[in-house]
Amino acid sequence: MGLNSNRVENISGNEATIIRVSTTDSTLSPPPLEVHRVCLPPKTTTFQKLKHRLSEIFFPDDPLHRFKNQTSLRKLVLGLQFLFPIFQWAPEYDLRLFRSDVISGLTIASLAIPQGISYAKLANLPPIVGLYSSFVPPLIYSILGSSRHLAVGPVSIASLVMGSMLSETVSYSQEPILYLKLAFTATFFAGLFQASLGLLRLGFVIDFLSKATLVGFMAGAAVIVSLQQLKSLLGIVHFTTKMQFVPVMSSVFKQKDEWSWQSVIMGVGFLILLLTTRHISIRRPKLFWISAAAPLTSVVLSTILVFLLRSKAHGISIIGHLPKGLNPPSSNMICLSGPYLALAVKTGIITGILSLTEGIAVGRTLAAMKNYQVDGNKEMMAIGLMNMAGSCSSCFVTTGSFSRSAVNYNAGAQTAISNIVMATAVLVTLLFLMPLFHYTPNVILAAIIITAVIGLIDYQAAFRLWKVDKLDFLACVCSFVGVLFISVPLGLAIAVGVSVFKILLHVTRPNTLVLGNIPGTHTYQNLSRYREASRVPSFLILAVESPIYFANSTYLLERIMRWVREEEEWIKENNRSALKCLILDMTAVTSIDTSGIDALVEIRKMVEKKSLKLVLASPVGNVTEKLHKSQVLDSFGLNGLYMTVGEAVADISSLWKCQP
């Protein structure tokens, strides 16, 4: 049974395309296969290509599509909704939604007040700054933010990073004013960086913080944060300012004579209480209010206890005086010049990236659960603008918090009004309730911080990384170890470096596969993956699974020639038909540059020296266009380019059988 070929050749000067029709006898399986022409994409100008490419890079969601074919008035309304998402849901707001938002807002306020004070201490800032940061930023976010459930305020990771980076250069105890100025300056640059990313639609920058990197970083940071709280839990007065594991543990045991049994008993007792309530809420989500109310309840109880025992509890340090009143302006404290500007900028960018990553991740997760979308670029601008405004009103870096947002969601929040309710509760606290926190012990703040950050240690995620991707697990471990033993920013830098190395590894060492035919079909799949796939006699079919760039062109040339050598050796060992044709499946080659084109030319020359034919199959439009413009297609001849691998095998086989 032979394969007959009726060939119709149509070669136009501009398209360099071929039409062939291959037919088979009716009894042959698989069915007859028609060989189609490989067409060039429609002609476009360089400007059109650039416009399309930039649109794909910066506007993949086509944010202006809603303005098409709309009246001027409607465009104005849509513009207001686009800039201020509050106008999207405000017209439909009613008393039922307000009731839910009030309940959720008061619930997260009970969590935000003690956490705000605690996280300010974590950043080595005055406790009152934490409350300031829970007032102004939520108000701004409620107008500009697109998430309905994100609860805004200080967070542990950004507080830790800011505290560790600034305290390495400036002592917060010896130069408190300078330290405060640098904190506000870093917050300003964090907001400027975040807003710029959103305005320029450069959100992909934060994607370099992969999930694996964040898992390790957050776990390491959680351990460091927890160890730092041993100072308050044990009542130690002289404690190291370093953040690494070894200096912290060394300081703990060197200062054993300063340990206070009163602090230990109170701290451990309330820590057990907080962890127990957290465990209950995890096991029974409907009881979320227990863990939400536990921090404020602990603050109240511990404050009353210390007040009653103030004459005897000398070993327990307290917060002390907190000034009443609204946020004082701090724009005059932002330093835009001077010897510490570089430190403030670096701190701002790193904390800005971390807080953006956390805020957007939380917002998108909760939005997916309620079936609505969060615009990442809008979120960047909202978070950035609220941090810029916050830096001018005595606030430090804020974003959407994991713990508070989860409580906000479970409490039934419907819109961003819950943030306004929370801010109102903080306002009342700032105006009237500050004297009540005078006797609040620092040990309870330490217990609250430990309870909050312990949830950042996701050992299950690390285990999944180990099972699925060892390189991701390596990035996770590098991040964890770097944060724990070197420093927080360097640990993060190491992890990002490992992630970038992984990207470079995939780009510079792309995957190549040998394909075989699935019997009875025109389908070709990986020989090592599909047992039923079989080699096609006299053909070596290779698939390249990446773009061909200058970074990988030399590697691909060497690897492809190695495949050819190994195939010839296999043929010789198994006494099979001689190799005649090398087919490159270009389906996954989404792009090619001049170095890649030169590599293809070199491969063709090298295989021709071995009396082999090189054929390209399934090239995408822009690859075909570049090959045509470089006039490389001319050197491949009439049967050197095919739409599919199946058509290439069928047509070339028919040509061989027609030869005498």
Side-chain angles (χ1 to χ4, degrees):
M1 217 68 56
L3 179 67
N4 300 317
S5 176
N6 298 322
R7 308 177 66 220
V8 182
E9 299 178 358
N10 175 22
I11 309 171
S12 63
N14 292 329
E15 294 186 349
T17 58
I18 301 170
I19 299 176
R20 300 186 187 92
V21 179
S22 295
T23 60
T24 60
D25 295 340
S26 59
T27 57
L28 187 64
S29 180
L33 182 67
E34 180 180 349
V35 180
H36 300 82
R37 63 188 299 183
V38 178
C39 297
L40 292 171
K43 290 185 177 180
T44 55
T45 64
T46 302
F47 175 76
Q48 288 174 323
K49 291 178 183 177
L50 179 62
K51 180 182 176 182
H52 175 74
R53 187 60 183 155
L54 291 177
S55 175
E56 290 297 312
I57 293 174
F58 296 108
F59 304 98
D61 55 343
D62 189 15
L64 301 180
H65 73 281
R66 69 188 72 183
F67 295 94
K68 294 177 181 177
N69 303 320
Q70 300 291 340
T71 64
S72 299
L73 180 60
R74 182 59 181 164
K75 287 181 179 179
L76 176 62
V77 174
L78 290 174
L80 285 174
Q81 292 178 347
F82 182 79
L83 295 173
F84 305 102
I86 190 173
F87 288 110
Q88 293 178 5
W89 48 263
E92 301 174 0
Y93 200 71
D94 56 24
L95 186 61
R96 180 184 59 84
L97 297 176
F98 180 68
R99 188 184 304 114
S100 299
D101 286 336
V102 168
I103 294 172
S104 57
L106 293 176
T107 304
I108 57 175
S110 67
L111 187 61
I113 292 170
Q115 281 191 351
I117 296 173
S118 303
Y119 293 155
K121 295 280 287 184
L122 186 60
N124 302 318
L125 293 168
I128 191 65
V129 175
L131 290 181
Y132 292 156
S133 303
S134 300
F135 172 53
V136 172
L139 293 176
I140 297 174
Y141 181 83
S142 63
I143 298 173
L144 300 176
S146 59
S147 173
R148 302 172 194 168
H149 299 92
L150 201 66
V152 171
V155 293
S156 57
I157 297 299
S159 302
L160 167 70
V161 172
M162 175 173 284
S164 63
M165 292 186 69
L166 294 181
S167 59
E168 285 180 357
T169 305
V170 178
S171 172
Y172 58 89
S173 58
Q174 296 177 4
E175 299 177 282
I177 301 300
L178 175 60
Y179 188 90
L180 197 59
K181 287 181 177 181
L182 292 180
F184 294 151
T185 305
T187 301
F188 175 80
F189 281 107
L192 182 63
F193 178 72
Q194 293 165 335
S196 299
L197 288 183
L199 183 64
L200 300 176
R201 305 184 71 83
L202 296 174
F204 58 84
V205 170
I206 66 174
D207 292 337
F208 282 99
L209 284 178
S210 66
K211 176 62 183 290
T213 300
L214 288 174
V215 167
F217 175 79
M218 288 187 173
V223 173
I224 287 295
V225 169
S226 300
L227 292 177
Q228 279 286 323
Q229 304 318 305
L230 291 176
K231 173 186 178 181
S232 297
L233 282 176
L234 300 176
I236 299 174
V237 178
H238 301 92
F239 198 73
T240 181
T241 58
K242 296 182 179 179
M243 304 294 290
Q244 295 85 355
F245 178 82
V246 175
V248 170
M249 295 308 298
S250 175
S251 181
V252 167
F253 290 104
K254 281 183 179 179
Q255 307 296 339
K256 285 191 293 184
D257 56 322
E258 294 186 4
W259 290 13
S260 168
W261 64 268
Q262 297 103 321
S263 292
V264 172
I265 292 175
M266 179 175 285
V268 172
F270 278 104
L271 182 60
I272 292 173
L273 172 65
L274 290 168
L275 291 175
T276 302
T277 58
R278 179 179 178 274
H279 180 72
I280 292 172
S281 296
I282 291 174
R283 295 292 296 271
R284 297 187 178 183
K286 290 184 178 180
L287 299 177
F288 69 90
W289 56 270
I290 294 179
S291 63
L296 187 58
T297 303
S298 300
V299 167
V300 172
L301 292 176
S302 62
T303 302
I304 294 173
L305 189 61
V306 171
F307 176 76
L308 294 176
L309 300 175
R310 61 187 181 279
S311 60
K312 298 179 181 179
H314 299 294
I316 301 177
S317 63
I318 59 175
I319 291 179
H321 173 71
L322 293 177
K324 289 196 297 182
L326 295 177
N327 303 34
S330 57
S331 56
N332 60 322
M333 299 184 73
I334 297 176
C335 305
L336 300 180
S337 61
Y340 298 106
L341 180 60
L343 172 64
V345 172
K346 182 173 69 172
T347 304
I349 290 175
I350 293 177
T351 55
I353 290 175
L354 290 173
S355 57
L356 261 188
T357 304
E358 180 173 350
I360 292 177
V362 176
R364 284 177 173 168
T365 300
L366 297 178
M369 295 170 69
K370 283 293 186 178
N371 197 29
Y372 70 93
Q373 285 188 331
V374 166
D375 188 323
N377 290 293
K378 285 184 186 176
E379 287 296 283
M380 292 178 196
M381 291 186 66
I383 294 174
L385 291 173
M386 79 179 186
N387 276 318
M388 291 176 69
S391 67
C392 299
S393 54
S394 301
C395 303
F396 71 112
V397 174
T398 55
T399 188
S401 162
F402 278 113
S403 57
R404 287 192 295 277
S405 298
V407 170
N408 195 34
Y409 177 86
N410 289 325
Q414 299 297 319
T415 68
I417 292 294
S418 59
N419 275 299
I420 297 177
V421 174
M422 178 189 71
T424 304
V426 174
L427 171 63
V428 173
T429 303
L430 286 169
L431 292 177
F432 306 109
L433 305 180
M434 296 316 298
L436 299 179
F437 291 96
H438 181 88
Y439 286 99
T440 300
N442 286 314
V443 66
I444 196 63
L445 302 181
I448 291 172
I449 290 174
I450 292 174
T451 306
V453 302
I454 200 169
L456 299 178
I457 304 176
D458 193 350
Y459 64 90
Q460 292 179 335
F463 180 69
R464 285 194 298 271
L465 291 175
W466 170 257
K467 288 179 62 178
V468 175
D469 193 321
K470 299 299 187 292
L471 273 177
D472 270 353
F473 181 76
L474 177 62
C476 175
V477 171
C478 287
S479 182
F480 178 78
V481 173
V483 170
L484 209 58
F485 293 99
I486 303 175
S487 72
V488 173
L490 282 179
L492 184 63
I494 291 172
V496 171
V498 173
S499 297
V500 172
F501 173 75
K502 179 184 175 183
I503 295 172
L504 293 176
L505 191 63
H506 286 306
V507 170
T508 59
R509 295 295 183 267
N511 206 20
T512 54
L513 315 167
V514 179
L515 304 183
N517 178 244
I518 304 296
T521 72
H522 295 297
T523 302
Y524 291 80
Q525 291 291 346
N526 187 357
L527 277 176
S528 61
R529 180 181 174 190
Y530 294 89
R531 294 182 180 179
E532 63 269 31
S534 59
R535 282 179 164 86
V536 182
S538 302
F539 287 92
L540 172 60
I541 306 169
L542 297 178
V544 180
E545 295 188 328
S546 87
I548 304 179
Y549 291 129
F550 65 92
N552 61 24
S553 58
T554 302
Y555 167 79
L556 284 173
L557 188 152
E558 295 173 351
R559 189 66 185 92
I560 289 171
M561 295 313 299
R562 177 183 164 189
W563 279 119
V564 172
R565 187 186 74 246
E566 290 175 348
E567 185 71 8
E568 289 176 334
E569 292 173 353
W570 182 88
I571 288 172
K572 187 175 181 180
E573 291 174 1
N574 293 274
N575 196 24
R576 299 296 178 91
S577 301
L579 183 62
K580 296 181 181 179
C581 182
L582 168 64
I583 299 177
L584 291 184
D585 183 358
M586 308 275 284
T587 304
V589 182
T590 56
S591 182
I592 192 169
D593 66 0
T594 52
S595 297
I597 294 172
D598 291 342
L600 288 181
V601 173
E602 190 65 25
I603 292 170
R604 182 183 60 78
K605 291 178 180 179
M606 294 177 74
V607 298
E608 284 180 351
K609 289 180 181 179
K610 293 176 173 287
S611 300
L612 304 178
K613 181 175 182 59
L614 176 63
V615 172
L616 306 181
S618 305
V620 299
N622 72 84
V623 172
T624 306
E625 183 179 24
K626 288 184 179 180
L627 291 174
H628 171 63
K629 287 184 176 180
S630 64
Q631 299 182 341
V632 168
L633 290 182
D634 297 341
S635 62
F636 278 82
L638 300 180
N639 54 343
L641 188 66
Y642 291 86
M643 183 176 287
T644 67
V645 172
E647 292 181 7
V649 172
D651 192 56
I652 295 172
S653 297
S654 69
L655 290 174
W656 290 343
K657 291 184 179 181
C658 289
Q659 292 175 356

